[in-house]
Amino acid sequence: MMQDVEPLLAALEYSDRFHRSVEEERRKGTYKEDISPAIAGPRVIPKRKVIVEPAVLLYFLAGSACGPLTTLYMYQRVAERYAPLFPNESFSNHSHRSHCGVPTNDSGVNLEQLIQQEAARWNMYLGIATMFPSVIATIIFGAHSDKAGRVPCILLPCIGGALALGINAIIIFLDLQLYYMLISNFVSGCFGGYTTLLLGSMAYVADTTTEDQRAFRIFVIDGMLMFGAALGEVGVGYWIHASPNFLWQTVAITVMFFVAGLYAFFFIPETVIKDPSARLLDKRNFTDVFTVYLPKKSDPQRAWRLRVLFVTLLFVATAQSVQVNTIEILYQISEPLCWTSVLVGIYLACVTLFMAIGGVGGLFSMQRCGVPDAGIAMMGIMSAVAAKILEGFATKTYMMFLVTVVGMLALLIVPMIRAMMSKAVDPKEQGTLFASVSSIETLCSLLANVIFNSIYSATVAIYKGIVFFSIAGVFMVAFLILVIYNIGARMPSYAELKEIQEDEETFISAKYFKEPVYGSTKPGGDSGRGTIRDTWRETEAEF
C-alpha cells in the first residue's frame, strides 16, 4: 500500500516545505505576492473612503437636468409645428406657461393631445438613439474594467455627456430640426452613458468595501444619484422659467459634465492593477458577462441565485427607468394638473428628498431588526406599487405630492438587489457582474421607452393614468419573483460555504494528522510536528 502512495507523499512533503518557507518569509517581512498580469485584479485600496461619490453627484447633477430641459424644449418645438392649425394660440414661451384649456380647431382636433402624442414619440426615438449603443458600450467597458481599471468607466460617460450637450447647444443656437438631436443622443450612448458610470462606481465600491459595508455604500451611491438629480431638476426648472431660450442652460450643463470628467481624471485613484495584455475589443469582454451566471463547483447555489436576481432586476429596472420620468413630466404639464416647469422641478426635488429620508431611515431600521436584503427590497417594491397606483388616480396637485411620501422606500430596491448579487461573486468578477447589471438596466430603459411611451401615446385620449397602472403591474411581477427567491434561498451563501469548508479542513487536520494549522507552533521546537510522511503512517496505523 505504501508503494501506491509514495508519489502523493512526495507531493505533500513539497507542499509542506513550501508553506513553511512562506510562513518564514511572512514572519521576516520579506514575502511578496505574485502580481503578474495573469492575476491582475483589485489590489490597491485608496486611503480615503469617500472618493467616487462626488463624481456621481456631479455627473447626475448635470445629467438629470438634461431630462426636463430636453423634454420641455422638444415640447415647445412640437407645439410650434402645430401653430398654423391654431392661429389664435400663442406658442411663445410655451415651455413655462400653463398648458390647460388648450383649444380645438374648427375640425375638432385637440391641440394638447396632438402635442402629447408627438412628444411621446420623440421621447421614444431619442431614447432608442441613446440606449442601443449604450448597451454595447456598457458591456465592453464594464468587463474590461476588471483588467484595465474602474476609472475609465467613470471618465468616459462624462466626456460623452459633454460632447452630446455641446451638439445640442449648436442645434438650439442654429434652430435646427429635432432629428439632429438623435446624433447627440447617439454620441452619448457610444460613451456608455449613465449606466457605465454607475457600473464603474459600483465596482469601485465593491473593490474598497467588505460585504458588511457594501449594501450601505451602494445605497450611498444611489443617494448621491438622487441628490444630484434633485438639484439639477430644481435648478433647471427655475432657470427655464426665467429664461426659456434653452441655450445657456445647455452650455452650463456641458460645463458640469466637463468638471465631473476633470474630477474623475485627477482625483479618483485606480483600484485595479492593470493587465498590459488586456484589450478593449476582446470577445472575452462579451463572453464573461454571460459566464458569470454559470454554476461553479465551489458554490453550486450561486448560479440560480444570480439568475433569479437578474430577472428581478430586469422588471425593476424597466419600471424605474429614467424614461418613466419623461412620461411623468408630460403628464404633469398637461390637464388636469397644468404644472409649470418650476412646479415640475419642485416635485422632482420632493421625490428625491422623501426617497432619501425613507431610504436612510428604512435601511437602518430594517437592518437593525434583522431584515435581510431581499426583504428590504420587497418592502421597497410595495412602496413603489402603492405610489404608482396613487399617481394613476392623481388629479390634484396635493395628490401628486402625496405620491412622493407613499413611494419613499422605492430607492432601496435596486441597491439591495445589487448588493445581493455582488456578495455572490468573487472580487475579480465585480466589474463583469456590474457590466451585466448595467447593460440589462440600459436594455430595460430602451424597453421601457418603447413600451410606456407607446402606452401613454395610445391611452392619452382615454385615461392618462393607465400607463402608471401598467408600471405598478411590472413592479408586482418583480415582487413575486423575490418571493420565490426567498423561498429557495435557504442554502448557505458562497462566503458561508467557504467558511464551512475551511472549518472542515481544520477539523480533519487536527483529528487525523494530529497537527496544528499552518503558522502555529508547539512548545519545545520551531514547528512542533514531524513530516507529512510520519503523520501519514500514524493515520494508516489508526485505521
Side-chain angles (χ1 to χ4, degrees), residues 357-375:
I357 295 174
V360 172
L363 181 62
F364 277 105
S365 60
M366 284 188 277
Q367 284 185 336
R368 288 181 67 87
C369 294
V371 181
D373 291 345

PDB file of all heavy atoms in Angstrom, residues 357-375:
ATOM      1  N   ILE A 357     -34.889  60.328   2.658  1.00  0.00           N
ATOM      2  CA  ILE A 357     -35.291  60.159   4.065  1.00  0.00           C
ATOM      3  C   ILE A 357     -35.794  58.739   4.301  1.00  0.00           C
ATOM      4  O   ILE A 357     -35.389  58.060   5.253  1.00  0.00           O
ATOM      5  CB  ILE A 357     -36.375  61.191   4.435  1.00  0.00           C
ATOM      6  CG1 ILE A 357     -35.797  62.615   4.373  1.00  0.00           C
ATOM      7  CG2 ILE A 357     -36.934  60.899   5.827  1.00  0.00           C
ATOM      8  CD1 ILE A 357     -36.844  63.705   4.573  1.00  0.00           C
ATOM      9  N   GLY A 358     -36.696  58.288   3.428  1.00  0.00           N
ATOM     10  CA  GLY A 358     -37.225  56.940   3.578  1.00  0.00           C
ATOM     11  C   GLY A 358     -36.165  55.880   3.393  1.00  0.00           C
ATOM     12  O   GLY A 358     -36.174  54.842   4.072  1.00  0.00           O
ATOM     13  N   GLY A 359     -35.216  56.129   2.467  1.00  0.00           N
ATOM     14  CA  GLY A 359     -34.161  55.151   2.231  1.00  0.00           C
ATOM     15  C   GLY A 359     -33.243  54.996   3.423  1.00  0.00           C
ATOM     16  O   GLY A 359     -32.978  53.878   3.881  1.00  0.00           O
ATOM     17  N   VAL A 360     -32.759  56.118   3.954  1.00  0.00           N
ATOM     18  CA  VAL A 360     -31.838  56.064   5.099  1.00  0.00           C
ATOM     19  C   VAL A 360     -32.550  55.498   6.329  1.00  0.00           C
ATOM     20  O   VAL A 360     -32.060  54.560   6.981  1.00  0.00           O
ATOM     21  CB  VAL A 360     -31.259  57.460   5.398  1.00  0.00           C
ATOM     22  CG1 VAL A 360     -30.459  57.442   6.689  1.00  0.00           C
ATOM     23  CG2 VAL A 360     -30.407  57.947   4.241  1.00  0.00           C
ATOM     24  N   GLY A 361     -33.716  56.064   6.640  1.00  0.00           N
ATOM     25  CA  GLY A 361     -34.455  55.584   7.811  1.00  0.00           C
ATOM     26  C   GLY A 361     -34.887  54.137   7.676  1.00  0.00           C
ATOM     27  O   GLY A 361     -34.756  53.342   8.613  1.00  0.00           O
ATOM     28  N   GLY A 362     -35.411  53.790   6.499  1.00  0.00           N
ATOM     29  CA  GLY A 362     -35.870  52.424   6.294  1.00  0.00           C
ATOM     30  C   GLY A 362     -34.734  51.420   6.315  1.00  0.00           C
ATOM     31  O   GLY A 362     -34.867  50.330   6.889  1.00  0.00           O
ATOM     32  N   LEU A 363     -33.600  51.769   5.715  1.00  0.00           N
ATOM     33  CA  LEU A 363     -32.473  50.845   5.673  1.00  0.00           C
ATOM     34  C   LEU A 363     -31.935  50.567   7.073  1.00  0.00           C
ATOM     35  O   LEU A 363     -31.742  49.405   7.458  1.00  0.00           O
ATOM     36  CB  LEU A 363     -31.373  51.420   4.780  1.00  0.00           C
ATOM     37  CG  LEU A 363     -30.118  50.559   4.618  1.00  0.00           C
ATOM     38  CD1 LEU A 363     -30.454  49.238   3.955  1.00  0.00           C
ATOM     39  CD2 LEU A 363     -29.053  51.310   3.821  1.00  0.00           C
ATOM     40  N   PHE A 364     -31.702  51.618   7.847  1.00  0.00           N
ATOM     41  CA  PHE A 364     -31.142  51.422   9.176  1.00  0.00           C
ATOM     42  C   PHE A 364     -32.117  50.684  10.098  1.00  0.00           C
ATOM     43  O   PHE A 364     -31.725  49.778  10.835  1.00  0.00           O
ATOM     44  CB  PHE A 364     -30.754  52.772   9.791  1.00  0.00           C
ATOM     45  CG  PHE A 364     -29.409  53.261   9.353  1.00  0.00           C
ATOM     46  CD1 PHE A 364     -29.298  54.290   8.438  1.00  0.00           C
ATOM     47  CD2 PHE A 364     -28.252  52.695   9.851  1.00  0.00           C
ATOM     48  CE1 PHE A 364     -28.061  54.743   8.016  1.00  0.00           C
ATOM     49  CE2 PHE A 364     -27.004  53.139   9.442  1.00  0.00           C
ATOM     50  CZ  PHE A 364     -26.912  54.166   8.529  1.00  0.00           C
ATOM     51  N   SER A 365     -33.386  51.074  10.056  1.00  0.00           N
ATOM     52  CA  SER A 365     -34.356  50.434  10.947  1.00  0.00           C
ATOM     53  C   SER A 365     -34.564  48.968  10.595  1.00  0.00           C
ATOM     54  O   SER A 365     -34.615  48.103  11.490  1.00  0.00           O
ATOM     55  CB  SER A 365     -35.694  51.182  10.895  1.00  0.00           C
ATOM     56  OG  SER A 365     -36.218  51.181   9.574  1.00  0.00           O
ATOM     57  N   MET A 366     -34.658  48.658   9.305  1.00  0.00           N
ATOM     58  CA  MET A 366     -34.886  47.258   8.917  1.00  0.00           C
ATOM     59  C   MET A 366     -33.648  46.404   9.136  1.00  0.00           C
ATOM     60  O   MET A 366     -33.753  45.231   9.500  1.00  0.00           O
ATOM     61  CB  MET A 366     -35.356  47.198   7.463  1.00  0.00           C
ATOM     62  CG  MET A 366     -36.815  47.616   7.281  1.00  0.00           C
ATOM     63  SD  MET A 366     -37.474  47.353   5.621  1.00  0.00           S
ATOM     64  CE  MET A 366     -36.892  48.844   4.806  1.00  0.00           C
ATOM     65  N   GLN A 367     -32.461  46.958   8.918  1.00  0.00           N
ATOM     66  CA  GLN A 367     -31.253  46.188   9.190  1.00  0.00           C
ATOM     67  C   GLN A 367     -31.076  45.928  10.682  1.00  0.00           C
ATOM     68  O   GLN A 367     -30.629  44.851  11.081  1.00  0.00           O
ATOM     69  CB  GLN A 367     -30.031  46.915   8.636  1.00  0.00           C
ATOM     70  CG  GLN A 367     -29.876  46.800   7.121  1.00  0.00           C
ATOM     71  CD  GLN A 367     -28.586  47.416   6.606  1.00  0.00           C
ATOM     72  OE1 GLN A 367     -28.006  48.293   7.252  1.00  0.00           O
ATOM     73  NE2 GLN A 367     -28.144  46.994   5.433  1.00  0.00           N
ATOM     74  N   ARG A 368     -31.434  46.890  11.510  1.00  0.00           N
ATOM     75  CA  ARG A 368     -31.337  46.691  12.963  1.00  0.00           C
ATOM     76  C   ARG A 368     -32.326  45.636  13.443  1.00  0.00           C
ATOM     77  O   ARG A 368     -32.092  44.970  14.445  1.00  0.00           O
ATOM     78  CB  ARG A 368     -31.576  48.005  13.705  1.00  0.00           C
ATOM     79  CG  ARG A 368     -30.435  49.004  13.572  1.00  0.00           C
ATOM     80  CD  ARG A 368     -30.734  50.270  14.357  1.00  0.00           C
ATOM     81  NE  ARG A 368     -30.741  50.016  15.786  1.00  0.00           N
ATOM     82  CZ  ARG A 368     -29.675  50.056  16.570  1.00  0.00           C
ATOM     83  NH1 ARG A 368     -28.489  50.334  16.049  1.00  0.00           N
ATOM     84  NH2 ARG A 368     -29.772  49.824  17.867  1.00  0.00           N
ATOM     85  N   CYS A 369     -33.430  45.506  12.730  1.00  0.00           N
ATOM     86  CA  CYS A 369     -34.420  44.486  13.074  1.00  0.00           C
ATOM     87  C   CYS A 369     -34.101  43.128  12.454  1.00  0.00           C
ATOM     88  O   CYS A 369     -34.884  42.182  12.609  1.00  0.00           O
ATOM     89  CB  CYS A 369     -35.807  44.934  12.623  1.00  0.00           C
ATOM     90  SG  CYS A 369     -36.433  46.389  13.494  1.00  0.00           S
ATOM     91  N   GLY A 370     -32.984  43.041  11.733  1.00  0.00           N
ATOM     92  CA  GLY A 370     -32.574  41.774  11.159  1.00  0.00           C
ATOM     93  C   GLY A 370     -33.243  41.419   9.850  1.00  0.00           C
ATOM     94  O   GLY A 370     -33.210  40.246   9.446  1.00  0.00           O
ATOM     95  N   VAL A 371     -33.849  42.379   9.171  1.00  0.00           N
ATOM     96  CA  VAL A 371     -34.492  42.096   7.890  1.00  0.00           C
ATOM     97  C   VAL A 371     -33.413  41.881   6.831  1.00  0.00           C
ATOM     98  O   VAL A 371     -32.514  42.712   6.683  1.00  0.00           O
ATOM     99  CB  VAL A 371     -35.424  43.260   7.475  1.00  0.00           C
ATOM    100  CG1 VAL A 371     -36.107  42.948   6.145  1.00  0.00           C
ATOM    101  CG2 VAL A 371     -36.466  43.512   8.560  1.00  0.00           C
ATOM    102  N   PRO A 372     -33.453  40.789   6.078  1.00  0.00           N
ATOM    103  CA  PRO A 372     -32.422  40.547   5.060  1.00  0.00           C
ATOM    104  C   PRO A 372     -32.564  41.503   3.877  1.00  0.00           C
ATOM    105  O   PRO A 372     -33.579  42.213   3.736  1.00  0.00           O
ATOM    106  CB  PRO A 372     -32.691  39.094   4.627  1.00  0.00           C
ATOM    107  CG  PRO A 372     -34.138  38.874   4.923  1.00  0.00           C
ATOM    108  CD  PRO A 372     -34.432  39.685   6.154  1.00  0.00           C
ATOM    109  N   ASP A 373     -31.546  41.511   3.033  1.00  0.00           N
ATOM    110  CA  ASP A 373     -31.558  42.413   1.875  1.00  0.00           C
ATOM    111  C   ASP A 373     -32.770  42.164   0.978  1.00  0.00           C
ATOM    112  O   ASP A 373     -33.370  43.118   0.458  1.00  0.00           O
ATOM    113  CB  ASP A 373     -30.273  42.226   1.059  1.00  0.00           C
ATOM    114  CG  ASP A 373     -29.048  42.736   1.797  1.00  0.00           C
ATOM    115  OD1 ASP A 373     -29.229  43.473   2.787  1.00  0.00           O
ATOM    116  OD2 ASP A 373     -27.924  42.407   1.385  1.00  0.00           O
ATOM    117  N   ALA A 374     -33.120  40.905   0.781  1.00  0.00           N
ATOM    118  CA  ALA A 374     -34.270  40.597  -0.070  1.00  0.00           C
ATOM    119  C   ALA A 374     -35.562  41.143   0.531  1.00  0.00           C
ATOM    120  O   ALA A 374     -36.436  41.656  -0.190  1.00  0.00           O
ATOM    121  CB  ALA A 374     -34.381  39.092  -0.287  1.00  0.00           C
ATOM    122  N   GLY A 375     -35.712  41.048   1.845  1.00  0.00           N
ATOM    123  CA  GLY A 375     -36.905  41.585   2.499  1.00  0.00           C
ATOM    124  C   GLY A 375     -36.993  43.098   2.374  1.00  0.00           C
ATOM    125  O   GLY A 375     -38.079  43.654   2.182  1.00  0.00           O
TER     126      GLY A 375
END
